[in-house]
Amino acid sequence: MGRLEGRVAFVTGAGRGIGAATALRMAEEGARVVLADIDTAGCQEVAAEIERLGSESLVVRCNVADSGNVQEAMDQTVSYFGQLDILVNNAGVLRDNLLFKMSEEDWDTVMNVHLKGMFLCSRAAQAHMVKQKYGRIVSLSSVSALGNRGQSNYSAAKAGIQGLTRTLAIELGPLGITANAVAPGFIDTEMTRTTARRQGLNPDDVIAQASKMIPVRRVGQPRDIANVICFLASEEAGFVSGQIIYVAGGPRS
Ligand SMILES: NC(=O)c1ccc[n+]([C@@H]2O[C@H](COP(=O)([O-])OP(=O)(O)OC[C@H]3O[C@@H](n4cnc5c(N)ncnc54)[C@H](O)[C@@H]3O)[C@@H](O)[C@H]2O)c1
């Protein structure tokens, strides 16, 4: 029996990368999974994979920065599966630039998708979790929360996710709900590959270079993060709450 047997998980940004790997990993552990993304084509591919694993999923188009979308997606989840046990706040975008060149729009976009998105999804999900007296919220922070050149918007949002995680842990703990965050280092996804290309670099060269700086001498794969998210989302992690787990192949990236 899988660790998430009988559970329903809502994964944002599930169309590719870490979100897709998490959805698949959770399905392997027996969960039924809601694949929430603005990119539903990606989610359909993940849904087909989940079906092959013998589990069930539901694809919902959801912009996490839009409260109406989020409410609708959560309501759809509960009317389809009858419950909501796990929320993974994973959806994300990058709008990197040095501070003096960063537009207000790029600041707002990143803060809205990452931080406001986590707030909206967590607020909507907890209403169902509180009724069940059970819930697991896992959110994606980043090593960039510690500060990173060209990422003032992203770094602030990812640090904000850490504060919000600790606060959710305090407020929701008495109601049977835990909240934790995973802070990845360099993970090989379209997000990091696009960043390399945007800088005029070959993504494979960037990965080779980054690997030399990481104590375990490789960059992370989406499944490295999915494994940790799965543990935090399981029943056996019930005494872990308000924690930020850095998953970076070493103490920092
Ligand atoms: N890749 C890394 O090295 C790395 C490192 C640290 C943290 N993270 C974080 O992990 C998470 C996933 O990253 P990834 O590398 O898989 O990214 P990715 O770009 O490969 O995938 C992100 C997914 O989020 C979706 N998305 C974007 N905006 C959305 C919105 N408004 N509503 C719903 N879905 C939306 C995209 O369509 C996409 O499917 C992000 O929060 C990212 O910040 C990634």
Side-chain angles (χ1 to χ4, degrees), residues 180-240:
N180 291 286
V182 176
F186 192 122
I187 310 300
D188 182 6
T189 68
E190 207 36 54
M191 184 178 268
T192 39
R193 285 183 174 267
T194 303
T195 300
R197 284 191 286 266
R198 212 172 62 91
Q199 293 169 340
L201 302 167
N202 177 332
D204 292 329
D205 293 345
V206 171
I207 286 169
Q209 201 53 38
S211 300
K212 290 184 194 157
M213 310 300 291
I214 298 170
V216 302
R217 293 294 183 269
R218 67 171 178 89
V219 300
Q221 295 301 320
R223 201 172 164 90
D224 289 316
I225 305 304
N227 289 335
V228 181
I229 296 174
C230 247
F231 166 67
L232 294 171
S234 71
E235 209 169 324
E236 64 191 357
F239 203 53
V240 184

Side-chain angles (χ1 to χ4, degrees), residues 165-166 168-170 173 177-180 232 237-244:
T165 295
R166 293 192 187 97
L168 294 183
I170 293 166
I177 302 163
T178 64
N180 291 286
L232 294 171
F239 203 53
V240 184
S241 198
Q243 299 305 305
I244 316 303

Side-chain angles (χ1 to χ4, degrees), residues 16 18 37 62-64 90 114 141 154 158 185 187 189 192:
R16 69 181 196 193
I18 294 169
D37 205 305
C62 174
N63 173 3
V64 296
N90 167 80
H114 292 272
S141 179
Y154 185 74
K158 291 308 200 189
I187 310 300
T189 68
T192 39

